Amino acid sequence: MCTQTKAAARMVNIPQADIDPSGVFKYILIRVHSREQGDDTEVDIVRGYGWAEYHVDIYEKVSMELENDGLLDCECVGGGRIRHDAQAKKIHVYGYSVGFGRANHAVTTEKLKARYPDYEVTWDNEGY
């Protein structure tokens, strides 16, 4: 029987994507790793919020919340922007983060499609 580590069990409950309900805002792609020895579990999550002046503002808040019990470790693997039009059910991912570089928008788009299955979710590498 395979036993799941505490960190892996915790990762299962982390929402894959959490973004503001509408607007244009910065987002980051975070890779969450287990800190437990012998556990190489990891998951990528998307976080995007209009309150963030800089991409690092999102990273600092989210990583602090996730790392607070010592089970998980976070790494920002890039950022960009999201245009979320809830009325039209469209999300567009684009751009980059000056501090973290460009996120893999294809990964971000798949996470957002899973979270918003009835939306049209697109991406490109244009713009800032």
Side-chain angles (χ1 to χ4, degrees):
M1 183 170 118
C2 182
T3 57
Q4 192 176 43
T5 67
K6 288 180 185 177
R10 181 145 180 255
M11 276 190 248
V12 170
N13 295 317
I14 299 171
Q16 300 275 313
D18 183 44
I19 63 171
D20 276 353
S22 66
V24 176
F25 43 85
K26 291 175 172 65
Y27 95 88
I28 58 173
L29 187 61
I30 300 172
R31 184 156 295 142
V32 183
H33 307 269
S34 168
R35 281 190 178 167
E36 294 184 81
Q37 189 172 355
D39 180 1
D40 59 356
T41 306
E42 64 181 28
V43 64
D44 289 341
I45 62 172
V46 175
R47 296 294 183 267
Y49 308 110
W51 54 259
E53 186 174 354
Y54 300 103
H55 291 91
V56 71
D57 297 333
I58 300 169
Y59 180 70
E60 286 175 352
K61 181 180 186 308
V62 175
S63 64
M64 187 173 68
E65 291 169 359
L66 293 175
E67 294 175 346
N68 70 356
D69 61 6
L71 294 174
L72 304 176
D73 190 32
C74 296
E75 165 192 11
C76 184
V77 293
R81 293 182 183 267
I82 291 175
R83 183 173 56 244
H84 185 178
D85 184 343
Q87 233 175 348
K89 292 194 173 194
K90 291 183 178 183
I91 295 174
H92 184 66
V93 180
Y94 64 99
Y96 62 93
S97 162
V98 171
F100 295 119
R102 186 182 321 278
N104 183 336
H105 297 325
V107 170
T108 299
T109 300
E110 290 308 309
K111 301 286 181 184
L112 291 168
K113 284 179 179 178
R115 171 71 175 84
Y116 298 93
D118 56 339
Y119 271 57
E120 177 187 330
V121 183
T122 58
W123 68 272
D124 66 48
N125 284 328
E126 303 304 312
Y128 168 74

